[in-house]
Amino acid sequence: MANKILIGFLLIAFLGVAYAGSNFNQYFDITWGDGRGKILNNGQLLTLSLDKASGSGFHSKNQYLFGKIDMQLKLVPGNSAGTVTTYYLSSLGGAHDEIDFEFLGNLSGDPYIVHTNIYAQGKGNKEQQFYLWFDPTKDFHTYSILWNPQSIIFSVDGTPLREFKNFESKGIPFPRSQAMSIYSSLWDADNWATRGGLVKTDWAQAPFTASYGNFNIQACVWTSSGSSCSSKNPTSDQSWMKQSLDSSGQARIQWVQKNYMIYNYCTDTKRFPQGLPHECSLA
C-alpha cells in the first residue's frame, strides 16, 4: 500500500528532466558573499572565495524530489586549514531533509577530510568521514549524490563512498517527501573544522578560492503545478530512479571504507552509549 501511495505521489508531483554540461547562470544563483562568488567563462565556471570578512555561496533555481547530481569541484589549495567547502541538498524548515558533502580544509601537505551526513525529518547524526586517494586541489573531480526512493549513494569520480538505504519499513526516517535545492558554500569554521578547532585559519593566505566546473543534473523538478514525469517527458532517461550498487559497486565501496574511512557513526559506541542507531545493524 505504501509503495502505491509513493508512486501516485511521484506521478503528480514532479517533472522529469536531464541536462548535462549546463550553464551555471541558467540553473544557479549566487546568494551571498557580496561579490565573492562569481560566474565566469560565459557560465562554464563558478568560483567561491573566502576572506576574513565573509565567505560566499550559491543555490539552485529549482527544487528537486529525487535525482542524480554530479558536480565538478577543485578545492581550496595550499593551507586551507579552518575552511569548509560544502555541497549539499536541503529542504527548508525545522524538520528538514538534507544530504551533505562537506570538505574540511587542512594544513599544506595534509589530506582533506570528506565529511558526509544525512538528515531526515530534522534529525542528522549520521556522519561518515573519509580521506581521498588523490589531491582534490590539483584538478577538478566529480562529486555525486544519487538520491532515489531506495537509497542515497555518495560517489567520487564514479567510486561510491557510502550508501544509506531506505529502511522506513523498520521505522527509520528516510528523505523522500520534501523537495530539496542544491546548495554550496565556502566559509570559515576554524572553531571545529581542522583537528577539532586546534588549527586556525591563516588569514595571510586569503582569499581562499574553490572552483566549480561542469555539472550534470538528472532529476525531477518540483513544481507548484504538479507536472507528471511520464506524461511530460516520456523519453527522458530515469534509470537513476532504480539505480543501486551492483557487485562491482559493493566491492568498490568496501575498498574505500577499508582504506580511507576515518570515522563511522555506526561504530562510535562512546557517542551512543545506549546503543548504536538501529540502521547500523541493518546496513
Side-chain angles (χ1 to χ4, degrees):
M1 181 65 180
N3 286 339
K4 291 181 179 178
I5 293 173
L6 175 60
I7 291 170
F9 174 75
L10 292 176
L11 285 176
I12 65 171
F14 57 66
L15 166 66
V17 295
Y19 27 84
S22 299
N23 189 305
F24 279 102
N25 281 311
Q26 188 173 358
Y27 295 106
F28 294 94
D29 290 321
I30 294 175
T31 49
W32 64 283
D34 194 24
R36 292 173 179 82
K38 294 181 173 66
I39 297 177
L40 307 168
N41 296 354
N42 296 316
Q44 301 305 302
L45 176 70
L46 188 153
T47 61
L48 296 180
S49 65
L50 164 70
D51 57 34
K52 198 166 186 179
S54 179
S56 50
F58 66 90
H59 70 61
S60 60
K61 297 178 187 289
N62 291 321
Q63 291 181 304
Y64 306 94
L65 186 63
F66 301 125
K68 184 176 187 293
I69 317 298
D70 304 318
M71 184 72 72
Q72 289 188 348
L73 281 80
K74 183 163 60 173
L75 298 177
V76 175
N79 181 2
S80 59
T83 70
V84 174
T85 306
T86 69
Y87 154 52
Y88 61 101
L89 304 176
S90 183
S91 63
L92 301 175
H96 75 295
D97 294 340
E98 190 170 325
I99 304 170
D100 287 347
F101 263 122
E102 297 187 3
F103 306 93
L104 312 185
N106 216 328
L107 295 169
S108 297
D110 289 341
Y112 262 82
I113 292 174
V114 179
H115 176 99
T116 65
N117 199 2
I118 296 160
Y119 287 76
Q121 300 172 21
K123 184 178 179 181
N125 299 325
K126 299 175 179 64
E127 300 91 346
Q128 291 183 356
Q129 294 182 338
F130 306 84
Y131 288 142
L132 292 168
W133 47 96
F134 54 84
D135 184 344
T137 72
K138 297 297 185 183
D139 205 350
F140 287 97
H141 292 270
T142 302
Y143 302 86
S144 303
I145 295 172
L146 171 65
W147 170 39
N148 63 30
Q150 295 78 241
S151 65
I152 295 166
I153 300 173
F154 296 79
S155 301
V156 179
D157 290 339
T159 296
L161 301 183
R162 74 176 290 188
E163 178 182 31
F164 184 79
K165 294 182 179 179
N166 185 344
F167 287 120
E168 282 186 304
S169 62
K170 305 293 185 181
I172 298 164
F174 183 85
R176 72 175 181 90
S177 61
Q178 299 187 67
M180 296 196 264
S181 298
I182 305 168
Y183 293 86
S184 193
S185 61
L186 174 58
W187 55 289
D188 173 40
D190 71 359
N191 60 323
W192 65 271
T194 306
R195 300 182 187 175
L198 294 177
V199 181
K200 301 299 183 181
T201 304
D202 180 4
W203 293 112
Q205 306 298 317
F208 304 96
T209 301
S211 301
Y212 299 74
N214 201 3
F215 65 91
N216 182 46
I217 302 174
Q218 301 177 77
C220 292
V221 176
W222 178 268
T223 66
S224 59
S225 61
S227 300
S228 165
C229 252
S230 56
S231 64
K232 297 294 184 180
N233 285 283
T235 61
S236 64
D237 180 11
Q238 297 173 33
S239 59
W240 52 267
M241 280 289 280
K242 296 182 179 180
Q243 187 176 339
S244 60
L245 292 178
D246 58 14
S247 58
S248 174
Q250 294 288 353
R252 286 185 293 164
I253 207 170
Q254 290 174 10
W255 173 78
V256 171
Q257 295 192 356
K258 177 181 178 181
N259 293 286
Y260 295 98
M261 178 182 279
I262 59 173
Y263 177 80
N264 183 1
Y265 78 108
C266 278
T267 61
D268 194 343
T269 54
K270 290 183 179 179
R271 181 181 177 187
F272 301 103
Q274 304 303 316
L276 295 171
H278 185 38
E279 67 265 21
C280 296
S281 64
L282 302 173

